[in-house]
Amino acid sequence: MKIVHTIAELRAHLAAFQRPVFVPTMGNLHDGHLALVRQAKPLGDVLVVSIFVNRLQFLPHEDFDTYPRTLEADCQALQAVGCDVVFAPSERELYPEPQVFKVTPPAGLADILEGHFRPGFFTGVCTVVMKLFACVQPRVALFGQKDYQQLMVLRHMVQQFALPIDVIGAPTLRGADGLALSSRNNYLNPAERQEAVHLSQTLTAMAQALRGGATDIVAIEQQAMAALTARGWQPDYMTVRRRADLQWPAAAELATPATLVVLGAAKLGTTRLIDNLEV
């Protein structure tokens, strides 16, 4: 496995390959990331994983400075699952000057849900992913479905810019108790880790209600918010949306719940967790 830190070195190495496959990450890798890498491996002739903590997608009060940087351990884990190239640029390498050109996704998709509670988040995500795409020039890119809205935004970006990249969403990997794997799970203390499973359990209850024919979306959402709040969570949203565009479904669409997704974001202690479940 080759570890490169500059764009020039990356491009020189990849020049010999025809079908790079790419998994972008911010490091601090867990089994969910490694499952993405395993899924990506047979899809191209060289597998590239980037490790870069992207300042542009963090709000001023968020955890950019304290986000875990574990490059040595990440590289060992990646080598064990067959990664070919780790691209780990410094901030100065990827942003040698202020990044004033940015990719701004449409408000109707990017300013709802996560974008409402984290203004500018998806502009930061799209900008860094576009730049990483320019560096790696992949033919295939994999992203986890745990970040459901992010996956949708990036698919639309690739389509709008006619990028020759197949974007693949990989299923969310969960712990034995159902908690979605996330780097931010490391922030949870033991008691919080036990409690954290209630986010996925609440989403499961919402999905079951919809499958059972429930049609009062407002009541479903309010009950879910109240259930988490009663357990000491601070929920931002627990919501029912269309898979196609993440808008609220019309009444007629509730007859086909398989077209829907339930999504949630809530803070447990100081840690904000997100999850989703397709109905």
Side-chain angles (χ1 to χ4, degrees), residues 57-104:
Q57 69 193 65
F58 288 78
L59 296 179
H61 66 277
E62 292 183 335
D63 56 342
F64 173 78
D65 290 327
T66 59
Y67 194 89
R69 275 85 164 166
T70 55
L71 180 60
E72 183 175 350
D74 291 343
C75 288
Q76 291 175 356
L78 289 170
Q79 185 165 19
V81 294
C83 178
D84 298 309
V85 181
V86 174
F87 178 44
S90 67
E91 193 168 26
R92 182 178 295 275
E93 175 68 16
L94 205 59
Y95 300 133
E97 57 188 37
Q99 187 69 34
V100 294
F101 284 85
K102 297 180 180 179
V103 179
T104 304

mmCIF file of all heavy atoms in Angstrom, residues 57-104:
data_model
loop_
_atom_site.group_PDB
_atom_site.id
_atom_site.type_symbol
_atom_site.label_atom_id
_atom_site.label_comp_id
_atom_site.label_asym_id
_atom_site.label_seq_id
_atom_site.Cartn_x
_atom_site.Cartn_y
_atom_site.Cartn_z
ATOM 1 N N GLN A 57 -16.514 22.061 6.255
ATOM 2 C CA GLN A 57 -17.826 21.517 6.604
ATOM 3 C C GLN A 57 -18.110 21.571 8.097
ATOM 4 O O GLN A 57 -19.145 21.050 8.543
ATOM 5 C CB GLN A 57 -17.968 20.093 6.083
ATOM 6 C CG GLN A 57 -17.091 19.051 6.768
ATOM 7 C CD GLN A 57 -17.062 17.754 5.982
ATOM 8 O OE1 GLN A 57 -16.565 17.693 4.862
ATOM 9 N NE2 GLN A 57 -17.604 16.690 6.563
ATOM 10 N N PHE A 58 -17.254 22.220 8.855
ATOM 11 C CA PHE A 58 -17.472 22.379 10.285
ATOM 12 C C PHE A 58 -17.920 23.801 10.585
ATOM 13 O O PHE A 58 -17.342 24.765 10.071
ATOM 14 C CB PHE A 58 -16.187 22.106 11.079
ATOM 15 C CG PHE A 58 -15.785 20.649 11.135
ATOM 16 C CD1 PHE A 58 -15.159 20.044 10.063
ATOM 17 C CD2 PHE A 58 -16.026 19.888 12.271
ATOM 18 C CE1 PHE A 58 -14.773 18.713 10.101
ATOM 19 C CE2 PHE A 58 -15.644 18.557 12.334
ATOM 20 C CZ PHE A 58 -15.018 17.967 11.246
ATOM 21 N N LEU A 59 -18.939 23.943 11.423
ATOM 22 C CA LEU A 59 -19.326 25.259 11.921
ATOM 23 C C LEU A 59 -18.337 25.704 12.998
ATOM 24 O O LEU A 59 -17.619 24.876 13.580
ATOM 25 C CB LEU A 59 -20.740 25.205 12.492
ATOM 26 C CG LEU A 59 -21.862 24.889 11.492
ATOM 27 C CD1 LEU A 59 -23.209 24.845 12.212
ATOM 28 C CD2 LEU A 59 -21.895 25.887 10.361
ATOM 29 N N PRO A 60 -18.284 27.011 13.297
ATOM 30 C CA PRO A 60 -17.293 27.508 14.268
ATOM 31 C C PRO A 60 -17.356 26.827 15.628
ATOM 32 O O PRO A 60 -16.318 26.645 16.276
ATOM 33 C CB PRO A 60 -17.643 28.996 14.370
ATOM 34 C CG PRO A 60 -18.232 29.342 13.044
ATOM 35 C CD PRO A 60 -19.012 28.115 12.632
ATOM 36 N N HIS A 61 -18.551 26.408 16.069
ATOM 37 C CA HIS A 61 -18.676 25.813 17.407
ATOM 38 C C HIS A 61 -18.520 24.292 17.373
ATOM 39 O O HIS A 61 -18.610 23.650 18.428
ATOM 40 C CB HIS A 61 -20.046 26.162 18.004
ATOM 41 C CG HIS A 61 -21.199 25.549 17.272
ATOM 42 N ND1 HIS A 61 -21.736 26.110 16.135
ATOM 43 C CD2 HIS A 61 -21.901 24.405 17.494
ATOM 44 C CE1 HIS A 61 -22.735 25.349 15.703
ATOM 45 N NE2 HIS A 61 -22.852 24.310 16.496
ATOM 46 N N GLU A 62 -18.271 23.715 16.203
ATOM 47 C CA GLU A 62 -18.192 22.260 16.107
ATOM 48 C C GLU A 62 -16.764 21.767 16.364
ATOM 49 O O GLU A 62 -15.871 22.532 16.708
ATOM 50 C CB GLU A 62 -18.730 21.807 14.746
ATOM 51 C CG GLU A 62 -20.236 22.034 14.625
ATOM 52 C CD GLU A 62 -20.824 21.544 13.320
ATOM 53 O OE1 GLU A 62 -20.084 21.452 12.312
ATOM 54 O OE2 GLU A 62 -22.028 21.254 13.301
ATOM 55 N N ASP A 63 -16.564 20.450 16.170
ATOM 56 C CA ASP A 63 -15.389 19.777 16.727
ATOM 57 C C ASP A 63 -14.240 19.613 15.732
ATOM 58 O O ASP A 63 -13.526 18.616 15.778
ATOM 59 C CB ASP A 63 -15.792 18.402 17.276
ATOM 60 C CG ASP A 63 -16.473 17.520 16.223
ATOM 61 O OD1 ASP A 63 -16.934 18.062 15.197
ATOM 62 O OD2 ASP A 63 -16.544 16.299 16.435
ATOM 63 N N PHE A 64 -13.995 20.615 14.886
ATOM 64 C CA PHE A 64 -12.900 20.476 13.925
ATOM 65 C C PHE A 64 -11.558 20.265 14.623
ATOM 66 O O PHE A 64 -10.783 19.375 14.264
ATOM 67 C CB PHE A 64 -12.815 21.706 13.018
ATOM 68 C CG PHE A 64 -11.610 21.700 12.108
ATOM 69 C CD1 PHE A 64 -11.593 20.925 10.963
ATOM 70 C CD2 PHE A 64 -10.473 22.441 12.424
ATOM 71 C CE1 PHE A 64 -10.472 20.890 10.142
ATOM 72 C CE2 PHE A 64 -9.355 22.411 11.604
ATOM 73 C CZ PHE A 64 -9.355 21.623 10.459
ATOM 74 N N ASP A 65 -11.253 21.084 15.621
ATOM 75 C CA ASP A 65 -9.942 21.010 16.275
ATOM 76 C C ASP A 65 -9.756 19.730 17.082
ATOM 77 O O ASP A 65 -8.625 19.251 17.241
ATOM 78 C CB ASP A 65 -9.733 22.229 17.175
ATOM 79 C CG ASP A 65 -9.551 23.520 16.381
ATOM 80 O OD1 ASP A 65 -8.976 23.461 15.280
ATOM 81 O OD2 ASP A 65 -10.005 24.573 16.849
ATOM 82 N N THR A 66 -10.851 19.182 17.597
ATOM 83 C CA THR A 66 -10.739 17.994 18.438
ATOM 84 C C THR A 66 -11.099 16.709 17.699
ATOM 85 O O THR A 66 -11.014 15.622 18.287
ATOM 86 C CB THR A 66 -11.653 18.124 19.667
ATOM 87 O OG1 THR A 66 -13.016 18.305 19.236
ATOM 88 C CG2 THR A 66 -11.235 19.315 20.528
ATOM 89 N N TYR A 67 -11.485 16.826 16.427
ATOM 90 C CA TYR A 67 -11.843 15.615 15.677
ATOM 91 C C TYR A 67 -10.626 14.690 15.643
ATOM 92 O O TYR A 67 -9.510 15.122 15.316
ATOM 93 C CB TYR A 67 -12.278 15.973 14.256
ATOM 94 C CG TYR A 67 -12.981 14.844 13.545
ATOM 95 C CD1 TYR A 67 -14.356 14.693 13.648
ATOM 96 C CD2 TYR A 67 -12.272 13.920 12.783
ATOM 97 C CE1 TYR A 67 -15.016 13.658 12.999
ATOM 98 C CE2 TYR A 67 -12.916 12.882 12.140
ATOM 99 C CZ TYR A 67 -14.291 12.754 12.255
ATOM 100 O OH TYR A 67 -14.935 11.719 11.624
ATOM 101 N N PRO A 68 -10.799 13.405 15.990
ATOM 102 C CA PRO A 68 -9.630 12.522 16.133
ATOM 103 C C PRO A 68 -8.858 12.360 14.832
ATOM 104 O O PRO A 68 -9.429 12.080 13.779
ATOM 105 C CB PRO A 68 -10.254 11.198 16.576
ATOM 106 C CG PRO A 68 -11.583 11.562 17.151
ATOM 107 C CD PRO A 68 -12.052 12.735 16.363
ATOM 108 N N ARG A 69 -7.555 12.561 14.917
ATOM 109 C CA ARG A 69 -6.652 12.286 13.791
ATOM 110 C C ARG A 69 -5.828 11.056 14.154
ATOM 111 O O ARG A 69 -5.008 11.097 15.069
ATOM 112 C CB ARG A 69 -5.711 13.467 13.534
ATOM 113 C CG ARG A 69 -6.290 14.582 12.644
ATOM 114 C CD ARG A 69 -7.106 15.583 13.403
ATOM 115 N NE ARG A 69 -7.335 16.822 12.623
ATOM 116 C CZ ARG A 69 -8.243 17.735 12.957
ATOM 117 N NH1 ARG A 69 -8.979 17.595 14.056
ATOM 118 N NH2 ARG A 69 -8.411 18.808 12.209
ATOM 119 N N THR A 70 -6.053 9.950 13.449
ATOM 120 C CA THR A 70 -5.434 8.664 13.803
ATOM 121 C C THR A 70 -4.822 8.021 12.558
ATOM 122 O O THR A 70 -5.114 6.873 12.231
ATOM 123 C CB THR A 70 -6.500 7.736 14.421
ATOM 124 O OG1 THR A 70 -7.611 7.614 13.499
ATOM 125 C CG2 THR A 70 -7.028 8.289 15.737
ATOM 126 N N LEU A 71 -3.980 8.785 11.867
ATOM 127 C CA LEU A 71 -3.492 8.356 10.555
ATOM 128 C C LEU A 71 -2.752 7.024 10.606
ATOM 129 O O LEU A 71 -2.973 6.149 9.759
ATOM 130 C CB LEU A 71 -2.582 9.436 9.964
ATOM 131 C CG LEU A 71 -1.993 9.126 8.578
ATOM 132 C CD1 LEU A 71 -3.104 8.930 7.549
ATOM 133 C CD2 LEU A 71 -1.049 10.240 8.133
ATOM 134 N N GLU A 72 -1.872 6.828 11.581
ATOM 135 C CA GLU A 72 -1.082 5.599 11.621
ATOM 136 C C GLU A 72 -1.983 4.382 11.779
ATOM 137 O O GLU A 72 -1.855 3.389 11.034
ATOM 138 C CB GLU A 72 -0.066 5.658 12.762
ATOM 139 C CG GLU A 72 0.852 4.443 12.819
ATOM 140 C CD GLU A 72 1.927 4.563 13.886
ATOM 141 O OE1 GLU A 72 2.090 5.658 14.463
ATOM 142 O OE2 GLU A 72 2.604 3.549 14.143
ATOM 143 N N ALA A 73 -2.922 4.441 12.724
ATOM 144 C CA ALA A 73 -3.842 3.319 12.928
ATOM 145 C C ALA A 73 -4.742 3.133 11.717
ATOM 146 O O ALA A 73 -5.050 1.991 11.318
ATOM 147 C CB ALA A 73 -4.675 3.553 14.186
ATOM 148 N N ASP A 74 -5.175 4.233 11.104
ATOM 149 C CA ASP A 74 -6.024 4.144 9.913
ATOM 150 C C ASP A 74 -5.292 3.424 8.787
ATOM 151 O O ASP A 74 -5.872 2.571 8.100
ATOM 152 C CB ASP A 74 -6.444 5.542 9.455
ATOM 153 C CG ASP A 74 -7.400 6.220 10.422
ATOM 154 O OD1 ASP A 74 -7.995 5.527 11.267
ATOM 155 O OD2 ASP A 74 -7.540 7.453 10.323
ATOM 156 N N CYS A 75 -4.038 3.772 8.586
ATOM 157 C CA CYS A 75 -3.273 3.153 7.497
ATOM 158 C C CYS A 75 -3.084 1.657 7.740
ATOM 159 O O CYS A 75 -3.162 0.850 6.803
ATOM 160 C CB CYS A 75 -1.929 3.852 7.329
ATOM 161 S SG CYS A 75 -2.057 5.503 6.604
ATOM 162 N N GLN A 76 -2.848 1.280 8.975
ATOM 163 C CA GLN A 76 -2.706 -0.149 9.286
ATOM 164 C C GLN A 76 -4.000 -0.898 8.972
ATOM 165 O O GLN A 76 -3.979 -1.986 8.380
ATOM 166 C CB GLN A 76 -2.326 -0.322 10.757
ATOM 167 C CG GLN A 76 -0.923 0.150 11.090
ATOM 168 C CD GLN A 76 -0.617 0.071 12.579
ATOM 169 O OE1 GLN A 76 -1.483 -0.266 13.391
ATOM 170 N NE2 GLN A 76 0.617 0.402 12.951
ATOM 171 N N ALA A 77 -5.134 -0.296 9.350
ATOM 172 C CA ALA A 77 -6.423 -0.937 9.091
ATOM 173 C C ALA A 77 -6.700 -1.023 7.594
ATOM 174 O O ALA A 77 -7.219 -2.031 7.098
ATOM 175 C CB ALA A 77 -7.533 -0.167 9.802
ATOM 176 N N LEU A 78 -6.362 0.022 6.864
ATOM 177 C CA LEU A 78 -6.607 0.036 5.425
ATOM 178 C C LEU A 78 -5.741 -0.989 4.702
ATOM 179 O O LEU A 78 -6.197 -1.653 3.762
ATOM 180 C CB LEU A 78 -6.373 1.437 4.869
ATOM 181 C CG LEU A 78 -7.427 2.474 5.251
ATOM 182 C CD1 LEU A 78 -6.966 3.870 4.851
ATOM 183 C CD2 LEU A 78 -8.773 2.145 4.613
ATOM 184 N N GLN A 79 -4.513 -1.107 5.127
ATOM 185 C CA GLN A 79 -3.640 -2.096 4.492
ATOM 186 C C GLN A 79 -4.199 -3.503 4.691
ATOM 187 O O GLN A 79 -4.143 -4.337 3.778
ATOM 188 C CB GLN A 79 -2.232 -2.000 5.059
ATOM 189 C CG GLN A 79 -1.220 -2.906 4.368
ATOM 190 C CD GLN A 79 0.213 -2.546 4.687
ATOM 191 O OE1 GLN A 79 0.476 -1.856 5.674
ATOM 192 N NE2 GLN A 79 1.143 -2.981 3.865
ATOM 193 N N ALA A 80 -4.784 -3.745 5.852
ATOM 194 C CA ALA A 80 -5.305 -5.078 6.159
ATOM 195 C C ALA A 80 -6.512 -5.449 5.306
ATOM 196 O O ALA A 80 -6.799 -6.644 5.138
ATOM 197 C CB ALA A 80 -5.672 -5.155 7.644
ATOM 198 N N VAL A 81 -7.217 -4.455 4.768
ATOM 199 C CA VAL A 81 -8.408 -4.771 3.950
ATOM 200 C C VAL A 81 -8.180 -4.521 2.467
ATOM 201 O O VAL A 81 -9.123 -4.488 1.677
ATOM 202 C CB VAL A 81 -9.645 -3.983 4.446
ATOM 203 C CG1 VAL A 81 -10.046 -4.452 5.832
ATOM 204 C CG2 VAL A 81 -9.421 -2.488 4.407
ATOM 205 N N GLY A 82 -6.917 -4.331 2.065
ATOM 206 C CA GLY A 82 -6.592 -4.324 0.649
ATOM 207 C C GLY A 82 -6.577 -2.975 -0.031
ATOM 208 O O GLY A 82 -6.595 -2.904 -1.265
ATOM 209 N N CYS A 83 -6.512 -1.900 0.739
ATOM 210 C CA CYS A 83 -6.392 -0.583 0.119
ATOM 211 C C CYS A 83 -5.068 -0.493 -0.645
ATOM 212 O O CYS A 83 -4.040 -1.001 -0.197
ATOM 213 C CB CYS A 83 -6.466 0.498 1.190
ATOM 214 S SG CYS A 83 -6.265 2.175 0.563
ATOM 215 N N ASP A 84 -5.088 0.179 -1.804
ATOM 216 C CA ASP A 84 -3.878 0.321 -2.607
ATOM 217 C C ASP A 84 -3.151 1.635 -2.346
ATOM 218 O O ASP A 84 -1.917 1.667 -2.304
ATOM 219 C CB ASP A 84 -4.227 0.236 -4.099
ATOM 220 C CG ASP A 84 -4.824 -1.096 -4.474
ATOM 221 O OD1 ASP A 84 -4.231 -2.136 -4.131
ATOM 222 O OD2 ASP A 84 -5.905 -1.104 -5.101
ATOM 223 N N VAL A 85 -3.929 2.722 -2.203
ATOM 224 C CA VAL A 85 -3.335 4.049 -2.054
ATOM 225 C C VAL A 85 -4.096 4.816 -0.977
ATOM 226 O O VAL A 85 -5.334 4.888 -1.014
ATOM 227 C CB VAL A 85 -3.391 4.855 -3.369
ATOM 228 C CG1 VAL A 85 -2.735 6.220 -3.183
ATOM 229 C CG2 VAL A 85 -2.743 4.095 -4.512
ATOM 230 N N VAL A 86 -3.365 5.391 -0.032
ATOM 231 C CA VAL A 86 -3.941 6.331 0.929
ATOM 232 C C VAL A 86 -3.479 7.725 0.528
ATOM 233 O O VAL A 86 -2.277 7.989 0.422
ATOM 234 C CB VAL A 86 -3.496 6.026 2.372
ATOM 235 C CG1 VAL A 86 -3.984 7.116 3.328
ATOM 236 C CG2 VAL A 86 -4.023 4.666 2.815
ATOM 237 N N PHE A 87 -4.443 8.593 0.290
ATOM 238 C CA PHE A 87 -4.152 10.003 -0.017
ATOM 239 C C PHE A 87 -4.464 10.810 1.236
ATOM 240 O O PHE A 87 -5.620 10.959 1.620
ATOM 241 C CB PHE A 87 -5.000 10.467 -1.196
ATOM 242 C CG PHE A 87 -4.808 11.916 -1.573
ATOM 243 C CD1 PHE A 87 -3.537 12.481 -1.633
ATOM 244 C CD2 PHE A 87 -5.901 12.724 -1.877
ATOM 245 C CE1 PHE A 87 -3.361 13.813 -1.977
ATOM 246 C CE2 PHE A 87 -5.736 14.053 -2.231
ATOM 247 C CZ PHE A 87 -4.464 14.603 -2.276
ATOM 248 N N ALA A 88 -3.424 11.298 1.893
ATOM 249 C CA ALA A 88 -3.564 12.007 3.162
ATOM 250 C C ALA A 88 -2.910 13.380 3.051
ATOM 251 O O ALA A 88 -1.822 13.615 3.574
ATOM 252 C CB ALA A 88 -2.942 11.197 4.295
ATOM 253 N N PRO A 89 -3.558 14.305 2.353
ATOM 254 C CA PRO A 89 -2.954 15.632 2.161
ATOM 255 C C PRO A 89 -3.064 16.477 3.422
ATOM 256 O O PRO A 89 -3.975 16.307 4.249
ATOM 257 C CB PRO A 89 -3.814 16.229 1.039
ATOM 258 C CG PRO A 89 -5.165 15.611 1.252
ATOM 259 C CD PRO A 89 -4.888 14.212 1.727
ATOM 260 N N SER A 90 -2.146 17.395 3.569
ATOM 261 C CA SER A 90 -2.272 18.410 4.615
ATOM 262 C C SER A 90 -3.303 19.436 4.172
ATOM 263 O O SER A 90 -3.693 19.498 3.003
ATOM 264 C CB SER A 90 -0.927 19.096 4.848
ATOM 265 O OG SER A 90 -0.573 19.850 3.689
ATOM 266 N N GLU A 91 -3.716 20.263 5.105
ATOM 267 C CA GLU A 91 -4.648 21.331 4.758
ATOM 268 C C GLU A 91 -4.002 22.300 3.772
ATOM 269 O O GLU A 91 -4.641 22.773 2.830
ATOM 270 C CB GLU A 91 -5.097 22.063 6.023
ATOM 271 C CG GLU A 91 -6.287 22.970 5.808
ATOM 272 C CD GLU A 91 -6.895 23.458 7.115
ATOM 273 O OE1 GLU A 91 -6.171 23.532 8.126
ATOM 274 O OE2 GLU A 91 -8.088 23.778 7.119
ATOM 275 N N ARG A 92 -2.726 22.563 3.954
ATOM 276 C CA ARG A 92 -2.025 23.475 3.050
ATOM 277 C C ARG A 92 -1.922 22.891 1.645
ATOM 278 O O ARG A 92 -1.963 23.616 0.649
ATOM 279 C CB ARG A 92 -0.627 23.788 3.600
ATOM 280 C CG ARG A 92 0.176 24.767 2.749
ATOM 281 C CD ARG A 92 1.525 25.065 3.386
ATOM 282 N NE ARG A 92 1.365 25.766 4.649
ATOM 283 C CZ ARG A 92 1.219 27.093 4.761
ATOM 284 N NH1 ARG A 92 1.198 27.845 3.675
ATOM 285 N NH2 ARG A 92 1.099 27.659 5.942
ATOM 286 N N GLU A 93 -1.813 21.566 1.544
ATOM 287 C CA GLU A 93 -1.725 20.928 0.231
ATOM 288 C C GLU A 93 -3.055 21.005 -0.515
ATOM 289 O O GLU A 93 -3.092 21.319 -1.710
ATOM 290 C CB GLU A 93 -1.308 19.462 0.389
ATOM 291 C CG GLU A 93 -1.301 18.646 -0.899
ATOM 292 C CD GLU A 93 -0.221 19.070 -1.889
ATOM 293 O OE1 GLU A 93 0.728 19.783 -1.492
ATOM 294 O OE2 GLU A 93 -0.328 18.689 -3.077
ATOM 295 N N LEU A 94 -4.152 20.730 0.180
ATOM 296 C CA LEU A 94 -5.449 20.725 -0.497
ATOM 297 C C LEU A 94 -6.008 22.135 -0.654
ATOM 298 O O LEU A 94 -6.704 22.428 -1.634
ATOM 299 C CB LEU A 94 -6.441 19.851 0.265
ATOM 300 C CG LEU A 94 -7.573 19.268 -0.574
ATOM 301 C CD1 LEU A 94 -7.040 18.408 -1.717
ATOM 302 C CD2 LEU A 94 -8.527 18.453 0.285
ATOM 303 N N TYR A 95 -5.714 23.001 0.293
ATOM 304 C CA TYR A 95 -6.164 24.397 0.230
ATOM 305 C C TYR A 95 -4.947 25.327 0.343
ATOM 306 O O TYR A 95 -4.729 25.962 1.385
ATOM 307 C CB TYR A 95 -7.141 24.713 1.364
ATOM 308 C CG TYR A 95 -8.400 23.880 1.389
ATOM 309 C CD1 TYR A 95 -8.853 23.306 2.577
ATOM 310 C CD2 TYR A 95 -9.155 23.664 0.236
ATOM 311 C CE1 TYR A 95 -10.020 22.560 2.617
ATOM 312 C CE2 TYR A 95 -10.325 22.912 0.265
ATOM 313 C CZ TYR A 95 -10.751 22.359 1.465
ATOM 314 O OH TYR A 95 -11.901 21.621 1.497
ATOM 315 N N PRO A 96 -4.112 25.407 -0.699
ATOM 316 C CA PRO A 96 -2.905 26.236 -0.619
ATOM 317 C C PRO A 96 -3.208 27.724 -0.502
ATOM 318 O O PRO A 96 -2.345 28.507 -0.108
ATOM 319 C CB PRO A 96 -2.164 25.918 -1.922
ATOM 320 C CG PRO A 96 -3.227 25.447 -2.854
ATOM 321 C CD PRO A 96 -4.217 24.723 -2.002
ATOM 322 N N GLU A 97 -4.419 28.096 -0.875
ATOM 323 C CA GLU A 97 -4.896 29.468 -0.704
ATOM 324 C C GLU A 97 -6.352 29.372 -0.280
ATOM 325 O O GLU A 97 -6.966 28.300 -0.403
ATOM 326 C CB GLU A 97 -4.757 30.256 -1.998
ATOM 327 C CG GLU A 97 -5.484 29.634 -3.161
ATOM 328 C CD GLU A 97 -5.173 30.325 -4.477
ATOM 329 O OE1 GLU A 97 -4.035 30.746 -4.680
ATOM 330 O OE2 GLU A 97 -6.103 30.445 -5.298
ATOM 331 N N PRO A 98 -6.933 30.433 0.253
ATOM 332 C CA PRO A 98 -8.331 30.350 0.677
ATOM 333 C C PRO A 98 -9.229 29.836 -0.447
ATOM 334 O O PRO A 98 -9.125 30.286 -1.591
ATOM 335 C CB PRO A 98 -8.660 31.799 1.055
ATOM 336 C CG PRO A 98 -7.352 32.387 1.472
ATOM 337 C CD PRO A 98 -6.334 31.758 0.573
ATOM 338 N N GLN A 99 -10.086 28.868 -0.103
ATOM 339 C CA GLN A 99 -10.936 28.229 -1.107
ATOM 340 C C GLN A 99 -12.156 29.114 -1.353
ATOM 341 O O GLN A 99 -13.223 28.919 -0.773
ATOM 342 C CB GLN A 99 -11.362 26.840 -0.635
ATOM 343 C CG GLN A 99 -12.111 26.036 -1.675
ATOM 344 C CD GLN A 99 -11.235 25.597 -2.833
ATOM 345 O OE1 GLN A 99 -10.048 25.311 -2.659
ATOM 346 N NE2 GLN A 99 -11.815 25.506 -4.020
ATOM 347 N N VAL A 100 -11.991 30.108 -2.229
ATOM 348 C CA VAL A 100 -13.070 31.060 -2.474
ATOM 349 C C VAL A 100 -14.036 30.566 -3.552
ATOM 350 O O VAL A 100 -15.186 31.019 -3.610
ATOM 351 C CB VAL A 100 -12.518 32.457 -2.841
ATOM 352 C CG1 VAL A 100 -11.779 33.060 -1.660
ATOM 353 C CG2 VAL A 100 -11.583 32.386 -4.038
ATOM 354 N N PHE A 101 -13.592 29.663 -4.410
ATOM 355 C CA PHE A 101 -14.505 28.995 -5.340
ATOM 356 C C PHE A 101 -15.119 27.816 -4.600
ATOM 357 O O PHE A 101 -14.401 26.929 -4.126
ATOM 358 C CB PHE A 101 -13.762 28.500 -6.586
ATOM 359 C CG PHE A 101 -13.414 29.573 -7.568
ATOM 360 C CD1 PHE A 101 -12.248 30.316 -7.424
ATOM 361 C CD2 PHE A 101 -14.255 29.856 -8.639
ATOM 362 C CE1 PHE A 101 -11.921 31.312 -8.317
ATOM 363 C CE2 PHE A 101 -13.931 30.852 -9.549
ATOM 364 C CZ PHE A 101 -12.769 31.586 -9.393
ATOM 365 N N LYS A 102 -16.432 27.799 -4.513
ATOM 366 C CA LYS A 102 -17.113 26.743 -3.777
ATOM 367 C C LYS A 102 -18.283 26.189 -4.586
ATOM 368 O O LYS A 102 -18.812 26.865 -5.465
ATOM 369 C CB LYS A 102 -17.595 27.262 -2.417
ATOM 370 C CG LYS A 102 -16.448 27.689 -1.498
ATOM 371 C CD LYS A 102 -16.938 28.190 -0.156
ATOM 372 C CE LYS A 102 -15.748 28.592 0.715
ATOM 373 N NZ LYS A 102 -16.184 29.103 2.032
ATOM 374 N N VAL A 103 -18.659 24.960 -4.263
ATOM 375 C CA VAL A 103 -19.798 24.312 -4.896
ATOM 376 C C VAL A 103 -20.991 24.450 -3.951
ATOM 377 O O VAL A 103 -20.967 23.904 -2.847
ATOM 378 C CB VAL A 103 -19.514 22.833 -5.189
ATOM 379 C CG1 VAL A 103 -20.728 22.180 -5.833
ATOM 380 C CG2 VAL A 103 -18.282 22.683 -6.073
ATOM 381 N N THR A 104 -22.002 25.176 -4.375
ATOM 382 C CA THR A 104 -23.171 25.436 -3.529
ATOM 383 C C THR A 104 -24.351 24.630 -4.045
ATOM 384 O O THR A 104 -24.880 24.923 -5.127
ATOM 385 C CB THR A 104 -23.515 26.934 -3.526
ATOM 386 O OG1 THR A 104 -22.373 27.675 -3.099
ATOM 387 C CG2 THR A 104 -24.677 27.227 -2.592
#
